[in-house]
Amino acid sequence: MDARRYDRAAQSWHWVDPATGALQAARVLRPKGRLAVFGHVFEPPPEVAEPFAAAHRRVAPDSPFSGQPARRPLETYLAGYARIADRIRKTGRFGEPEQCRFDWQRSYTRDQWLELLPTTGGLTRLRPEQLAGILDPVGHAIYALGGRFTMHYTTPATTAVRADTDHRPAH
């Protein structure tokens, strides 16, 4: 096992096993080290979200992302971060988790968004022709908006400070 210990650990938690992630973080953090779990929920305008969702359903109907709504429901993500806080709390190795959120916006040109989009979610595993089947209609939608749009983001975060001791919770 790696014996290194850290003062801070941050992670976009969707890649972490929810059953063991908080315990693993407690193992690598020094006492009083801080764990920060965060992610980004993006909500494009309907004029961009709808063509994306329709194209994704058409070119990748078997993808687990094809059944998702065009807009990402923020409440679902916030509930997920509350569950993360519960798991952190249950380890008994952290102080009381704190939750916060940051709302922000970013403007994208058509080219900027089409360059970023293939790096997100389920698009990373699509074949080139499938990806083109999504990027083309999204690009046309952005052109119809004048070649740029503003993305609304929310970054939810759950943080907790590792306890001073290595005591395990009493059950």
Side-chain angles (χ1 to χ4, degrees):
M1 182 177 154
D2 189 345
R4 292 181 290 178
R5 302 285 291 249
Y6 302 92
D7 294 322
R8 289 175 291 283
Q11 171 64 24
S12 187
W13 211 246
H14 62 281
W15 298 113
V16 175
D17 179 350
T20 62
L23 280 173
Q24 292 289 15
R27 287 186 188 115
V28 300
L29 280 169
R30 290 184 181 100
K32 296 189 179 182
R34 181 172 296 273
L35 170 64
V37 178
F38 61 91
H40 302 297
V41 182
F42 57 91
E43 295 190 68
E47 298 87 353
V48 175
E50 295 297 336
F52 170 81
H56 198 272
R57 283 190 297 272
R58 187 175 52 257
V59 303
D62 296 332
S63 167
F65 300 102
S66 287
Q68 292 184 353
R71 296 178 64 88
R72 299 176 130 186
L74 179 58
E75 296 77 27
T76 301
Y77 280 81
L78 295 178
Y81 278 84
R83 286 189 299 275
I84 290 168
D86 287 341
R87 288 208 167 105
I88 291 169
R89 193 176 292 113
K90 287 179 182 176
T91 69
R93 296 193 176 180
F94 291 90
E96 182 60 22
E98 298 175 23
Q99 293 190 274
C100 57
R101 67 184 263 185
F102 305 94
D103 295 299
W104 52 288
Q105 298 179 354
R106 183 180 191 281
S107 180
Y108 288 96
T109 66
R110 175 195 170 276
D111 291 344
Q112 288 170 329
W113 185 243
L114 294 183
E115 184 177 325
L116 178 63
L117 193 56
T119 69
T120 65
L123 299 187
T124 59
R125 296 183 179 220
L126 294 180
R127 294 184 314 274
E129 66 275 7
Q130 289 176 298
L131 189 57
I134 293 173
L135 297 181
D136 289 345
V138 170
H140 290 296
I142 297 169
Y143 266 136
L145 292 173
R148 69 180 321 115
F149 71 99
T150 299
M151 179 74 73
H152 298 277
Y153 285 94
T154 298
T155 301
T158 299
T159 69
V161 174
R162 189 176 175 285
D164 282 340
T165 64
D166 285 327
H167 296 297
R168 296 182 185 272
H171 290 289

